[in-house]
Amino acid sequence: MRKVIYNRFGDESVLELTEQAVPGIQKDQLLIRVKAVSINPLDWKVYGGEMKLMSGSAFPKSVGIDFSGIVDQTGSEVARFKAGDAVIGLLDVFKGGALADYVVVKETDLAPKPANISFEKAAALPVTGLSALQIIDQLAAVGANQEVLINGATGGIGLFAVQIAKKRGARVTAVVSANGVADAKKWGADTVVDYTKQDIRHLNQPFDAVIDLSTRFSFKDARRLMKPKAVFVSTLPSPLTLLSSFVNNLFSGKKRKILILKPTVEGFNTLTKLAENDLQIVLDKTYSMTNVREAYQEARRKKIIGKSVIVLD
Ligand SMILES: NC(=O)c1ccc[n+]([C@@H]2O[C@H](COP(=O)([O-])OP(=O)(O)OC[C@H]3O[C@@H](n4cnc5c(N)ncnc54)[C@H](OP(=O)(O)O)[C@@H]3O)[C@@H](O)[C@H]2O)c1
């Protein structure tokens, strides 16, 4: 089978398409024939070596965190899935390995694929959909009539965060660049701000939640936009930011929270129900296994609306 691996940290040039044996499974595992794999900024942070502390430095390493596919084999202890089932799944963020014709997983890594969406769109759901749910429902606990600012609203998480915040009854201000204005409106944003034209630090409105998906907006800047008991959510945990959030939250009404994605069966269920209803899943571009380097390079450098996906044939 084909599998993308790398033997040193670096840019996309380290990614190699290799031939490997199809792995075997244990009693509690499943073998999945992968149909599509989504591209996430976490991928290049890991293969770029930015997350060495968590990923370790032993090689070879693998790429691809979330995927869609078909169950090929099940171990004797597997109860919820059978061969032939269409599934979506999520692997360990720091180990990856979905970018291969077959992947070995446990039941808890999987959910049934919503029947009404394609394998390509389904692959785009797990990492960013579960992240958006965790941010909106748990970290920011967004409720009806709240004012929510989403900075970086047309990226992978933003695509779902805007729509889920609207479903919870909030008023959403989406911050995007010029090419994303129409999309953010289509996904339900009440107000759209083009960050290339307007500096959001000078917005004249207080928010109940400020969600930064761009990694470029600090808590210090966000504080000025926050109501006295508002929440700021960012997405890059580090020992320093986790500690300073902890200390801030002891003393300040303005809370600072940081996403550390924790996939749950309940989260998967909520997400797949949303997708079965009317959650819009927007694909910027699809790629094949033979142009994996180009796929990651473009996703890293270009302005993407929604998600990019690699399709395995
Ligand atoms: N901690 C965790 O567990 C966890 C889990 C998942 C993801 N993440 C992280 O969460 C972040 C967001 O993920 P994602 O998949 O949504 O990434 P993404 O698809 O790259 O989206 C990021 C968005 O930020 C926007 N942006 C860039 N510069 C901006 C600026 N100066 N002001 C406002 N917006 C700006 C981009 O818009 P333009 O392209 O139009 O500029 C883009 O839409 C990533 O850093 C990812 O690694 C963390």
Side-chain angles (χ1 to χ4, degrees), residues 40-42 44-45 127-128 131 151-158 175-177 179 195 213-216 235-237 259-261 302-304 306-307:
N40 291 287
L42 282 166
W44 53 82
K45 287 176 187 153
V127 168
T128 49
S131 295
N151 191 36
T154 48
I157 299 179
V175 185
V176 304
S177 59
N179 63 336
Y195 74 81
L213 306 171
S214 78
T215 72
R216 293 177 169 90
T235 60
L236 289 187
L259 173 71
I260 299 174
L261 176 59
K302 258 184 47 185
K303 289 195 179 300
I304 301 287
K307 297 283 296 173

Side-chain angles (χ1 to χ4, degrees), residues 4-5 19 29 39 57 62 69 88 94 105-106 110 114 116 140 158 165 193 195-196 226 243 258 288 291-292 299 301:
V4 175
I5 62 161
E19 269 303 320
Q29 293 177 324
I39 296 181
S57 295
S62 314
I88 55 174
F94 303 110
V105 296
K106 294 202 167 176
L110 294 178
N116 57 325
V193 177
Y195 74 81
T196 62
M226 292 166 71
L243 179 67
I258 304 174
S288 71
N291 49 17
V292 157
R301 293 190 184 154

